[in-house]
């Protein structure tokens, strides 16, 4: 395990040390460890009660297009995921109170009945909701901590008045309930310093997440952070290169953890299978094609230019071909995190 100071020195280091880290990460995902897992992402609602300063879905953005999928629409999208031979569905949404505990429990049961592993990503929800959905068959939950700098987090992620819990509570509950837990952070959030970024990387290890999702911050014109330059000389750049370096550090520090090559990274890289390969060649091992129905997909406008505007089926076909040629074949199955299987005492279970 590297110390915070060692990680910070690598981040601000020269291209020779960066190349070395990238080549070590490449080696982590070679041979039998080179398989790539796909997840079918379904963005089930663009309503959100929060006011996050970076996100286009913030409640105050009156120009955002809001939609909420019906039970039937979600199941139809999940069937498309299954037809692409993908083993896991990710149901993601803004923090939408109209997605009731019972509605989600019903969806989880029916998606599970299709033989798909269910991952939820629905924001900060009460303990009883999370417990109910686990009982209904959900296996995994994604909730990024966004930044380990508490002052910065409070600034960009205002608390909901009267809400009796916060994001740290929810992350702790998810673990307690036995979920496979994914968290992560943004690269280049205005105000994020090099020391903050090093602390973000360390936190992923100390918190023991099973999956770590990271991507570059992409400025959205309808948010208060638009045009804000941040921490001056010490500001981390929101670039593809910096994201690749951080992926490589995460893959070498935490080789058992699943790491997606995210849509935000693909967006700054121009989209398509090649753009995802930029993350995979830097240590990522998961891609999440977007199966949100075409008619509403543009409404899930977290940041501009989201690289998801080719159909999921076309992207999956492209990934199957391009990744096989690159020696990183798409592999079927649930794609559990080895970190999760080890910490729950099931090292022999098939990933
Ligand atoms: N740029 C990049 N990533 C963003 N997210 C939200 N807004 C932005 C943005 N403007 C990320 C957050 C959130 C995830 C769903 O999307 O990290 O957790």
């Amino acid at each position: 395990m590297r110390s915070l100071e060692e990680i910070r020195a690598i981040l601000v280091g020269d291209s020779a040390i960066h190349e070395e880290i990238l080549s070590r990460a490449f080696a982590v995902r070679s041979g039998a460890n080179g398989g790539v897992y796909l997840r079918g992402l379904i963005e089930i609602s663009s309503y959100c009660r929060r006011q996050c300063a970076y996100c286009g879905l913030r409640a105050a953005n009156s120009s955002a297009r809001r939609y909420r999928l019906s039970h039937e629409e979600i199941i139809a999208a999940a069937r498309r995921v299954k037809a692409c031979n993908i083993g896991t569905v990710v149901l993601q949404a803004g923090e939408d109170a109209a997605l009731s505990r019972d509605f989600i429990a019903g969806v989880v049961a029916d998606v599970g009945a299709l033989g798909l592993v269910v991952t939820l990503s629905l924001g900060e929800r009460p303990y009883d909701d999370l417990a109910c959905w686990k009982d209904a068959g959900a296996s995994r939950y994604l909730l990024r901590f966004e930044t380990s700098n508490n002052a910065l987090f409070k600034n960009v992620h205002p608390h909901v008045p009267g809400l009796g819990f916060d994001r740290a509570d929810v992350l702790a509950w998810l673990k307690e309930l036995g979920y496979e837990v994914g968290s992560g952070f943004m690269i280049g959030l205005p105000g994020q310093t090099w020391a903050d970024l090093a602390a973000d990387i360390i936190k992923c290890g100390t918190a023991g997440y099973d999956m770590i999702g990271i991507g570059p911050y992409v400025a959205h014109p309808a948010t208060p952070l638009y045009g804000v330059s941040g921490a001056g000389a010490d500001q981390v750049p929101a670039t593809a290169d910096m994201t690749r370096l951080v992926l490589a550090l995460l893959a070498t520090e935490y080789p058992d953890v699943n790491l997606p090559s995210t849509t935000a990274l693909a967006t700054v890289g121009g989209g398509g299978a090649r753009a995802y390969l930029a993350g995979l060649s830097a240590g990522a091992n998961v891609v999440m094609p977007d199966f949100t129905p075409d008619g509403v997909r543009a409404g899930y406008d977290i940041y501009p230019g989201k690289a998801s505007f080719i159909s999921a089926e076309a992207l999956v076909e492209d990934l199957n071909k391009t990744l096989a040629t690159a020696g990183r074949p798409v592999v079927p199955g649930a794609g559990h995190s080895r970190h999760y299987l080890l910490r729950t005492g099931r090292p022999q279970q098939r990933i």
Side-chain angles (χ1 to χ4, degrees), residues 14 21 95 104 115 117 146-147 236 246 250 260 271 286 334-335:
D14 59 18
I21 300 291
E95 251 171 60
I104 295 296
V117 173
E146 313 294 1
T147 169
V236 172
V246 176
L250 292 169
V286 168

Side-chain angles (χ1 to χ4, degrees), residues 54-55 92 144 146 186 216-218 302-303:
Y54 46 83
C55 181
Q92 190 174 78
R144 294 185 181 178
E146 313 294 1
M186 282 177 278
Y217 160 74
V218 184
I302 301 181
Y303 48 80

